[in-house]
Amino acid sequence: MGDRTSPPNTGAVVSVRGSVVDIRFDGHLPPIYSVLRAGAERRIVIEVLAQPDARRVRGIALTPTQGLARGMKVEDTDGPLRAPVGKGILSRMFDVFGNVIDRGAALSDVQWRSVHRAPPLLARRSTKSEIFETGIKVIDVLVPLERGGKAGLFGGAGVGKTVLLTEMIHNMIGHHEGVSIFCGIGERCREGEELYRDMKEAGVLPNMVMIFGQMNEPPGSRFRVGHAALTMAEYFRDDEHRDVLLLIDNIFRFIQAGMEVSGLMGQMPSRLGYQPTMGTELSGLEERIANTDTGAITSIQAVYVPADDFTDPAAVHTFSHLSASIVLSRKRASEGLYPAIDPLQSSSKMATPGIVGERHYALAQEIRRTLAQYAELKDIIAMLGLEQLSPEDRNVVARARRLERFLTQPFFTTEQFTGLKGKLVSLKDALDGCERILRDEFKDYPESALYMIGSIDEAKAKFKPGQPAAPAAPAQKTEAKTDPKPAAESPVKAAAEPSPKPGKMSQAKVEHAADTHES
Ligand SMILES: Nc1ncnc2c1ncn2[C@@H]1O[C@H](COP(=O)(O)OP(=O)(O)OP(=O)(O)O)[C@@H](O)[C@H]1O
Ligand SMILES: [Mg+2]
């Protein structure tokens, strides 16, 4: 990639420790962020991160270092890591180096740009406060997303971050006129491949770019893949003036890769073993996700929360960058209430009357209040039973449980294993449904009538008051009266915590729930 007219600047490997390589240059010392190449066919790529003395640079390998030996020749490419940009990258899939990995034709019509770029100046930034509808009830009603904002999907292992992100891609990409960029950081290769196939089938690939640095790749490559994705996003925003939807699964893996790099480079770890530079690294990336007057980058990021601990420094740092935080809870997942979003922990700065309108705001507040009251009453119910509550409180419980069920939704992406057809619900329908539940219009309906439906009219179709209830309904109702938690919860919960594959359990649960509720 460098200037090929003069002889290349070469050095020799002094030491190799895992991914960290020291190289001696007798001539000109390559600057920080230079990319060096070594090995057969110059296949090993090293990025310079430090210059320990006048003759040596220390770099981190972005590829496996297998075969690299002391004394081997290293070539300075005379430039930083670059990513391809241009119309030619649409509908393609890349790795961190900008190589196409979809077995398609070679790239044409592209330029190469450095992945290290500064965030736009404050004066160039703009903020519009517009809502980005997702078609997912609980998000649109309680945690509205911002067009041009950053939203995070927080959750521990296997609570449904990837499923929710994929569903959002499915719901939004079709209507989104701009470009979508999916960046996979440190997650499973299988998921990347599945997504590529799904997008191809859905016919949305022509406006999409995918870039992956998955979990099998060295830390250096996982650390840089986010920068490469942003470089592409910035091209569409700044050069083509288009809106960009940037999806990242998973931003925690970026922090984790930074931690590995920092450890390998011999820096002293900070709190909980994280790198001392975590805040700077994360903001270096997040601040580039910005809106200018010519185009906006809307981003949705999955954030893995280690051990479900929301006070983890990685989660806390990520929270501070986002305009909407969607928190997934293991408890809800174990109850089969998918999407397992905890409305009381999730928040959006768009949920103000000035932006969403008075009616929406008032409704959202009332829903939150009802759910919060129910959460407080849960302890009393567990100790004394539902009967001991005042009639008023009992009404709150009934409303809250119906709301909780109405805010579940069958997903298109989970059709195969839940057996339920996916539903897209407009904001208006979602608000209407919640309002009617809050006005007690459905208090004679069994809770199951509201579970996994789209708009509220489907509950009417499922069950008509006056007719005898569906066979599963009375059982469900008594269960609700005597035991506030579904019977199957405890074994699932017990298994969910230590098991590495809690998803399997919840999946069985949904199938089971679907069976009983369909009847
Ligand atoms: N909306 C949903 N409907 C039904 N099942 C779901 C839903 N969301 C998640 N699940 C179940 O949970 C499992 C795990 O979901 P997912 O892979 O999205 O978790 P994750 O949070 O991305 O996990 P990881 O941190 O391991 O990447 C799924 O395989 C599925 O069984
Ligand atoms: Mg995942």
Side-chain angles (χ1 to χ4, degrees):
M1 260 180 273
D3 181 7
R4 284 325 196 70
T5 47
S6 56
N9 180 22
T10 57
V13 175
V14 182
S15 74
V16 183
R17 270 173 296 130
S19 281
V20 175
V21 187
D22 280 11
I23 303 132
R24 181 187 170 90
F25 279 89
D26 286 322
H28 156 73
L29 210 57
I32 303 288
Y33 289 161
S34 296
V35 166
L36 316 176
R37 284 178 171 266
E41 296 169 41
R42 304 160 79 232
R43 220 181 267 142
I44 297 171
V45 183
I46 300 159
E47 186 179 63
V48 176
L49 288 185
Q51 298 185 341
D53 59 45
R55 293 252 168 271
R56 256 183 334 139
V57 295
R58 179 165 297 163
I60 183 107
L62 305 184
T63 52
T65 44
Q66 214 166 20
L68 197 64
R70 275 164 56 189
M72 255 162 102
K73 198 174 105 177
V74 177
E75 218 173 88
D76 177 10
T77 63
D78 202 15
L81 187 68
R82 291 187 166 96
V85 297
K87 286 205 167 40
I89 65 170
L90 285 170
S91 82
R92 304 305 300 268
M93 186 153 69
F94 297 93
D95 66 6
V96 65
F97 305 108
N99 301 320
V100 283
I101 51 172
D102 53 11
R103 301 201 202 125
L107 277 183
S108 59
D109 191 18
V110 297
Q111 291 163 269
W112 291 80
R113 283 198 188 157
S114 163
V115 303
H116 304 281
R117 300 164 72 84
L121 295 175
L122 212 51
R124 276 191 58 216
R125 295 184 182 226
S126 81
T127 45
K128 286 177 279 184
S129 293
E130 222 182 297
I131 297 290
F132 203 57
E133 252 188 66
T134 60
I136 299 169
K137 289 182 280 191
V138 57
I139 295 181
D140 288 346
V141 173
L142 293 172
V143 219
L145 303 190
E146 181 186 2
R147 187 175 295 279
K150 296 173 215 174
L153 311 177
F154 291 82
V159 291
K161 298 180 294 295
T162 304
V163 168
L164 187 57
L165 191 70
T166 322
E167 182 74 4
M168 288 194 183
I169 298 176
H170 175 276
N171 291 359
M172 299 196 292
I173 263 182
H175 321 287
H176 181 71
E177 300 101 49
V179 178
S180 308
I181 298 178
F182 183 89
C183 175
I185 310 181
E187 290 289 313
R188 303 160 194 87
C189 296
R190 164 181 62 80
E191 287 173 348
E193 193 271 336
E194 279 169 11
L195 186 71
Y196 180 76
R197 223 166 347 115
D198 290 348
M199 294 299 113
K200 204 168 186 175
E201 270 167 34
V204 292
L205 218 44
N207 275 320
M208 192 161 188
V209 183
M210 292 188 191
I211 175 161
F212 292 101
Q214 294 300 50
M215 53 172 63
N216 58 326
E217 295 182 45
S221 128
R222 282 178 272 132
F223 187 57
R224 284 289 171 235
V225 70
H227 298 97
L230 265 163
T231 309
M232 295 174 175
E234 284 162 344
Y235 161 81
F236 288 112
R237 178 191 67 194
D238 298 340
D239 294 43
E240 295 208 5
H241 306 314
R242 292 174 77 173
D243 281 349
V244 182
L245 182 61
L246 177 68
L247 305 137
I248 302 176
D249 190 5
N250 187 305
I251 202 78
F252 171 79
R253 305 291 173 203
F254 165 75
I255 296 176
Q256 197 177 34
M259 177 161 85
E260 287 172 48
V261 170
S262 164
L264 288 168
M265 294 293 291
Q267 271 162 18
M268 192 73 87
S270 171
R271 213 146 54 96
L272 288 184
Y274 284 108
Q275 64 275 39
T277 46
M278 171 170 70
T280 330
E281 285 167 12
L282 186 65
S283 49
L285 188 75
E286 294 276 3
E287 287 294 299
R288 285 172 66 180
I289 310 177
N291 302 330
T292 65
D293 14 349
T294 55
I297 304 181
T298 307
S299 95
I300 302 178
Q301 315 169 2
V303 190
Y304 167 72
V305 180
D308 286 345
D309 176 9
F310 286 87
T311 61
D312 188 274
V316 171
H317 273 270
T318 317
F319 264 121
S320 61
H321 287 283
L322 305 171
S323 58
S325 310
I326 296 172
V327 174
L328 297 166
S329 96
R330 185 166 305 282
K331 179 149 188 310
R332 277 172 178 266
S334 68
E335 288 173 18
L337 296 174
Y338 285 115
I341 296 172
D342 183 340
L344 298 178
Q345 282 197 55
S346 308
S347 64
S348 163
K349 73 170 185 156
M350 302 302 278
T352 58
I355 297 168
V356 295
E358 288 293 344
R359 174 176 176 246
H360 183 161
Y361 177 73
L363 267 174
Q365 289 298 96
E366 201 177 338
I367 295 168
R368 278 176 188 275
R369 204 161 38 238
T370 311
L371 295 176
Q373 279 172 345
Y374 175 43
E376 273 174 24
L377 290 171
K378 270 182 185 165
D379 283 345
I380 304 178
I381 299 171
M383 279 188 284
L384 304 174
L386 200 63
E387 288 70 25
Q388 299 301 315
L389 295 182
S390 67
E392 220 168 277
D393 283 346
R394 241 182 280 174
N395 272 341
V396 169
V397 173
R399 265 177 236 142
R401 290 183 59 92
R402 279 169 182 74
L403 278 174
E404 272 183 350
R405 301 227 160 11
F406 177 62
L407 292 178
T408 60
Q409 191 165 339
F411 279 0
F412 293 95
T413 32
T414 55
E415 265 172 27
Q416 301 97 321
F417 58 80
T418 58
L420 300 171
K421 267 205 92 46
K423 301 266 163 65
L424 194 76
V425 184
S426 70
L427 176 62
K428 187 188 161 295
D429 284 348
L431 285 175
D432 281 351
C434 294
E435 187 168 33
R436 286 164 70 184
I437 292 172
L438 286 169
R439 303 290 160 263
D440 283 342
E441 199 180 305
F442 291 87
K443 75 174 189 305
D444 302 325
Y445 282 63
E447 287 169 2
S448 59
L450 297 162
Y451 180 70
M452 287 286 168
I453 58 171
S455 67
I456 196 86
D457 299 324
E458 289 173 34
K460 298 224 154 166
K462 256 187 172 178
F463 172 82
K464 294 191 180 62
Q467 277 182 9
Q476 175 76 19
K477 222 176 171 183
T478 36
E479 183 189 289
K481 282 263 151 81
T482 49
D483 178 6
K485 292 167 193 162
E489 188 208 52
S490 28
V492 171
K493 201 174 169 204
E497 242 87 64
S499 152
K501 275 245 88 158
K504 280 264 179 321
M505 300 296 293
S506 28
Q507 178 175 327
K509 180 86 210 288
V510 169
E511 271 161 17
H512 168 74
D515 288 346
T516 43
H517 295 289
E518 273 314 316
S519 54

